[in-house]
Amino acid sequence: MVSVRYQHLHKAFGDGSVALQDFSLEVADGEFLTFLGPSGCGKTTTLRMTAGLETPTSGEIFFGERPVVDLPPGRRNIAMVFQSYALYPHMTVQQNLEYPLRKQGVARDERARRATALAATLQLDALLHRRPKHLSGGQQQRVALGRALIREPEVFLLDEPLSNLDAELRTQMRAELIQLHRRIGRTMIYVTHDQVEAMTMSTRIAVMSKGELQQVGTPLEIYREPRNRFVAAFVGSPAMNFVEGGIELRDGRAVFRAAGLEVALPDARSARLAGLARASGVLAGIRPEHLSLEPGSGEGRVLVVEAMGHEDIVTAETPAGRIVVRSAGTATAAAGDLVPLRVDPEKLHLFDAASGERLAC
Amino acid sequence: MRLKTSDSLIGVAFITPAATLFLLLVAYPLFQSILISFSAINTMTLKGHYVGLANYLDILQDQEFWRTLVNTLIWTAGSLVLQVLLGVGFALLLHRAFPGRALARSLVLFPYLLSTAVAVLVWRWLFNDLYGILNYGLVHIGLIERPIAWLSRMPEAMISVILVGAWKFFPFVVIALLARLQTIPLQLYEAARIDGASAVARFWDITLPQLSGVLAVVVLLRSIWDFKEFDLVYLMTGGGPGIGTQTLPILVYREAFPQLHLGKGAAIAVVMLLVMLVFMLLYLRQSARGDER
C-alpha cells in the first residue's frame, strides 16, 4: 500500500511540444484518483510516466518515500490496464493471467492456483483455455483487469479502460470497478475524458488542460465550485451556460446583469461581491439544471426541445445568447414559444471574463 | 443463390482467358513431362518409345541421383537457415528507428533485385583464387597462409554457393518479416515491460510468436524456391567440382540436353515435383490456418 506523489513533473517531447508543466499532486494511499481532461491535456502522458513507459524531462515521482523515475516499469510494482487491453493474442486466457507471475519467477503450481482462483472471481473460469480473439469485448476487459490484479500491485493504472465497450457494458463495468476498488483498497489512478466515469467512480478528480492541472477535488467539489471556466465547462452534462455581463449594486444588493437577463444574488453573496462590482467583464456560469421555465430572470425564444421522458432539454435563444435549460416534466415547452427563464441565484457561478478564474464569492 | 444464365456466361467469359493460359502454359507442359518420363526419347530427334517405369527404376539405382539429391538438400537447408537468420536479424534492425532507415530499407533489397547472372559474376570475382579480394583479405589478416580455391574444392564450393544463395535471397525474408513486425501493437510490448519482461523475454514471448505465421509461410516458400534453384548454382560452379555442388535441376538439365536423355530428365523432374508437392501441401495448410486467424 502506497501513496503516489508527483513533484514538479515536466515533460516536453523531442519536437518541442510540452505535454506537462510543473505538475505537482499527491494521490493518497488507497485513493481512486481520476485524471480528467480532453485529449492532449497530458493525462495519458502523466499516467505513462507513472508506469515508467515515458521518462519525465524533469521532476520526480514518489511511491511512498521511494523515488521511481529511474526504475524500469517491471520494478515499480504497478499494473496497468490499457484502452486496447493489450492482451497477448497468442496466449490463452490462463497464460495471459499467469504471465506477470511467470516473469516474477512464481512456480508453475502456484501460478495455476492463483490464476484459477482469480478467474473464478472474474467469472472467467469457463474461458481459461480460449484465446483473446474468441472473447467478447467485456470478457477481454475482464482478462485485462485480471492480469493487472494477479500480481497484487501497489498501484493500479487504468488508461481509458472502458472506452472500447458499448454503453450498457460500460455502465455495468463502472459499478464493478467501484466494487473492486472498495474490495482491494489499493491506490488506483484512472485516466478518462468521460466526465461521467470520473464523477461516478473517483474519490477525487484532477481536471487537466493543456498540460496543466486545473483543479483537484472530490467530484462534488468540482461540480459545485469549479475553480475556473475550463473546469466549469468540462464537467456537467449538458454543459454549463455562459453569459457575459456585469455586477451592479442596487440598494446594497449585488445583481448580475447581462443583455435581457438579471439575477439578484442572495444577501450572503452580495456582501462578498460588493467590492467586485463592475459594469462588464463578468462571466456567469449557469448549469442547465439550475434554470427553470418560470418568470424571474429573463426570457427566451425556444429553438429545440429534446424530450427525455422525465425532463425536457430546452434550448432557447436570448439576447445574451443561447441558453440550455433542463426542465423537469414532459412537454414543458414547444419550439417557437417565448418562455420565461429563472436562474437559481444560489447556484450562479461567477468568473472573471478575462482570466476565466472564479470570482471570490 | 441461383445465378441467371446470363450471369453464368459472363462468369465463364471472365475465367476463360486465365484458364486458357493455365491449360496451355502449366497443365499441358506438366502433362507432357509426365508422359515423357515414361518414354525413352532423344532430345535432338524427339524420337522414342514407351518404356514404362524404366526411367524411374534407372534413377533409383543411380548413385549420381542420390548424391545429387543429398546435395540439393544440403544446399536448400544451408541456404535457408542462413536466409532466415539474416532475415530475422536485419528485419529487427530495420524495424528500429535510426537516421537513414528509409535508405537502409531500400539498400537491403539490392541483392534480391540484382540479376542472378550479374550477382554471380561479381561473387566469382570476389572468390577468385588468383585475384579475388576475399583471399587477399584473408591472407592479409593472417587467417590463411595461401589463397583458397573457393569454387573448385569441396566443401568450400558448397559453402560458397550456400553463402551467395543466402546473400541473394535473404531480403525476401526481411521484407515479409518487416511488414509483419510493423503490425505488432506497441502496447503488447508496453504491457510486457510492466509485467516485468526483459528485452530478451519480450523477443521470445511477443515478437517471435507474432512472427511465427509469416515465418512458416516464408520458410515453406523459400524452401520450394531454393530446392528448384538452377541459375545461381549452375553459374557459380556448373555443379562442380565433379558433381560436388550438382543439384537436381542441374541434373535434369544435364540428362535432358547434353546427354540427350529427355525421358530420364523428365523422370527426375517429376521426382522433384513430388518432393515439392510435400512442401506445397504444408504451405497450403499453413496459409489456410492463417486465414482462420
Side-chain angles (χ1 to χ4, degrees):
Chain A
M1 304 280 272
V2 72
S3 63
V4 177
R5 187 155 50 92
Y6 302 95
Q7 206 171 67
H8 303 297
L9 212 56
H10 190 86
K11 175 73 179 175
F13 287 109
D15 60 2
S17 64
V18 175
L20 199 70
Q21 296 193 58
D22 196 23
F23 182 86
S24 294
L25 175 71
E26 176 149 7
V27 185
D29 184 5
E31 188 173 20
F32 192 123
L33 185 118
T34 300
F35 292 146
L36 175 67
S39 58
C41 72
K43 57 189 192 298
T44 296
T45 306
T46 310
L47 192 78
R48 289 171 60 81
M49 288 193 284
T50 319
L53 298 172
E54 305 265 3
T55 313
T57 312
S58 62
E60 187 54 86
I61 303 173
F62 295 91
F63 287 2
E65 293 308 311
R66 185 169 59 123
V68 296
V69 160
D70 294 326
L71 284 182
R75 291 183 45 205
R76 294 191 180 194
N77 200 11
I78 48 160
M80 183 155 164
V81 178
F82 291 83
Q83 181 175 356
S84 64
Y85 313 139
L87 299 178
Y88 307 124
H90 51 280
M91 297 185 198
T92 62
V93 168
Q94 174 149 12
Q95 288 166 333
N96 265 284
L97 291 176
E98 285 185 15
Y99 190 77
L101 299 181
R102 219 172 90 202
K103 292 297 121 182
Q104 286 180 341
V106 175
R108 180 189 296 259
D109 294 349
E110 169 73 4
R111 288 197 317 244
R113 195 187 60 73
R114 279 165 73 176
T116 318
L118 184 61
T121 66
L122 289 169
Q123 294 150 39
L124 291 169
D125 18 8
L127 310 171
L128 277 174
H129 300 292
R130 296 226 194 136
R131 302 248 167 127
K133 66 168 175 195
H134 295 303
L135 303 179
S136 70
Q139 289 166 341
Q140 291 186 23
Q141 166 79 68
R142 269 172 224 281
V143 179
L145 268 177
R147 193 177 60 185
L149 286 166
I150 198 157
R151 57 190 295 192
E152 296 174 358
E154 290 182 315
V155 182
F156 276 89
L157 307 173
L158 302 110
D159 185 11
E160 310 226 7
L162 304 186
S163 52
N164 286 356
L165 299 177
D166 60 45
E168 192 185 336
L169 206 51
R170 204 180 304 160
T171 315
Q172 187 189 328
M173 282 307 293
R174 279 208 311 259
E176 288 190 24
L177 278 176
I178 295 169
Q179 284 178 311
L180 176 72
H181 175 246
R182 204 177 297 149
R183 197 173 70 231
I184 63 175
R186 301 288 164 108
T187 310
M188 288 193 173
I189 302 178
Y190 190 98
V191 160
T192 185
H193 61 267
D194 184 324
Q195 45 143 333
V196 178
E197 286 174 21
M199 295 295 285
T200 50
M201 296 193 285
S202 319
T203 320
R204 282 191 307 158
I205 300 174
V207 184
M208 299 175 69
S209 169
K210 293 179 186 159
E212 287 183 84
L213 186 59
Q214 303 294 320
Q215 185 172 1
V216 191
T218 65
L220 272 185
E221 281 166 7
I222 300 277
Y223 174 81
R224 284 188 183 149
E225 273 184 61
R227 223 181 68 191
N228 58 34
R229 181 187 176 156
F230 176 84
V231 177
F234 198 79
V235 174
S237 175
M240 186 183 273
N241 299 293
F242 288 99
V243 177
E244 199 168 336
I247 295 173
E248 61 184 46
L249 287 172
R250 218 180 278 165
D251 310 329
R253 201 183 174 116
V255 176
F256 172 79
R257 216 182 140 159
L261 194 75
E262 268 193 18
V263 184
L265 291 151
D267 293 339
R269 295 183 79 184
S270 286
R272 271 171 286 157
L273 269 174
L276 294 166
R278 54 186 127 163
S280 65
V282 176
L283 198 66
I286 316 160
R287 293 202 184 276
E289 51 272 39
H290 300 146
L291 274 151
S292 53
L293 303 181
E294 294 160 18
S297 308
E299 56 185 24
R301 179 77 63 187
V302 175
L303 294 172
V304 182
V305 179
E306 296 161 82
M308 309 296 284
H310 63 292
E311 67 180 11
D312 287 339
I313 310 284
V314 178
T315 307
E317 188 73 55
T318 74
R322 276 191 191 177
I323 301 264
V324 177
V325 182
R326 276 174 75 168
S327 173
T330 40
T332 53
D337 288 355
L338 191 65
V339 290
L341 296 171
R342 196 182 99 83
V343 177
D344 180 350
E346 298 279 355
K347 305 286 170 58
L348 189 71
H349 302 272
L350 293 172
F351 304 95
D352 182 274
S355 70
E357 294 299 311
R358 185 178 188 84
L359 290 176
C361 64
Chain B
M1 190 183 80
R2 271 180 64 101
L3 288 174
K4 281 188 289 182
T5 319
S6 61
D7 284 346
S8 313
L9 281 178
I10 291 173
V12 170
F14 274 122
I15 289 173
T16 305
T20 312
L21 284 176
F22 176 80
L23 286 173
L24 279 176
L25 300 178
V26 179
Y28 175 70
L30 185 66
F31 177 70
Q32 272 291 325
S33 310
I34 294 172
L35 221 58
I36 291 172
S37 74
F38 293 114
S39 320
I41 291 189
N42 182 299
T43 311
M44 294 293 279
T45 61
L46 289 181
K47 289 214 171 89
H49 57 280
Y50 178 75
V51 294
L53 289 172
N55 283 329
Y56 289 96
L57 294 173
D58 187 12
I59 292 170
L60 294 180
Q61 286 162 1
D62 188 349
Q63 286 295 315
E64 186 178 355
F65 168 78
W66 290 108
R67 172 77 198 282
T68 306
L69 178 64
V70 170
N71 282 349
T72 313
L73 294 176
I74 292 173
W75 142 256
T76 304
S79 147
L80 187 66
V81 166
L82 285 180
Q83 284 170 41
V84 168
L85 290 179
L86 282 173
V88 171
F90 271 84
L92 289 175
L93 270 179
L94 292 173
H95 184 53
R96 308 187 132 247
F98 59 88
R101 179 171 70 171
L103 182 69
R105 280 185 179 172
S106 338
L107 282 181
V108 82
L109 289 180
F110 178 72
Y112 198 64
L113 301 178
L114 204 61
S115 137
T116 307
V118 176
V120 167
L121 197 69
V122 172
W123 278 101
R124 287 183 60 135
W125 257 342
L126 298 176
F127 278 126
N128 190 286
D129 46 345
L130 296 178
Y131 47 80
I133 194 162
L134 186 66
N135 275 324
Y136 175 81
L138 289 177
V139 170
H140 191 76
I141 60 171
L143 266 180
I144 52 173
E145 279 179 26
R146 271 170 284 115
I148 293 176
W150 287 102
L151 298 178
S152 47
R153 254 172 58 174
M154 286 300 284
E156 285 87 345
M158 181 58 94
I159 293 172
S160 305
V161 173
I162 286 175
L163 286 176
V164 174
W167 171 84
K168 181 88 178 69
F169 299 119
F170 88 93
F172 176 79
V173 184
V174 175
I175 300 170
L177 293 188
L178 200 52
R180 180 69 183 94
L181 276 176
Q182 287 167 0
T183 65
I184 303 178
L186 284 179
Q187 292 201 324
L188 292 183
Y189 293 100
E190 295 182 339
R193 277 169 72 193
I194 288 174
D195 288 343
S198 63
V200 176
R202 292 198 294 275
F203 174 77
W204 286 106
D205 295 341
I206 295 174
T207 310
L208 214 53
Q210 291 286 301
L211 289 181
S212 65
V214 174
L215 209 51
V217 169
V218 164
V219 164
L220 287 171
L221 275 179
R222 280 291 351 147
S223 43
I224 292 169
W225 293 340
D226 288 339
F227 191 78
K228 68 184 186 65
E229 177 67 22
F230 173 77
D231 43 3
L232 186 133
V233 185
Y234 189 74
L235 292 171
M236 278 293 287
T237 62
I243 58 165
T245 58
Q246 177 173 280
T247 55
L248 285 174
I250 297 178
L251 182 59
V252 172
Y253 169 76
R254 283 195 173 148
E255 286 291 344
F257 296 99
Q259 311 262 11
L260 304 181
H261 299 148
L262 193 57
K264 191 176 172 189
I268 300 169
V270 170
V271 172
M272 278 182 69
L273 187 74
L274 292 176
V275 176
M276 285 192 289
L277 211 58
V278 176
F279 288 112
M280 273 304 296
L281 290 176
L282 286 173
Y283 170 74
L284 287 177
R285 217 184 67 177
Q286 179 65 31
S287 52
R289 200 185 293 166
D291 289 343
E292 254 173 53
R293 278 181 207 162

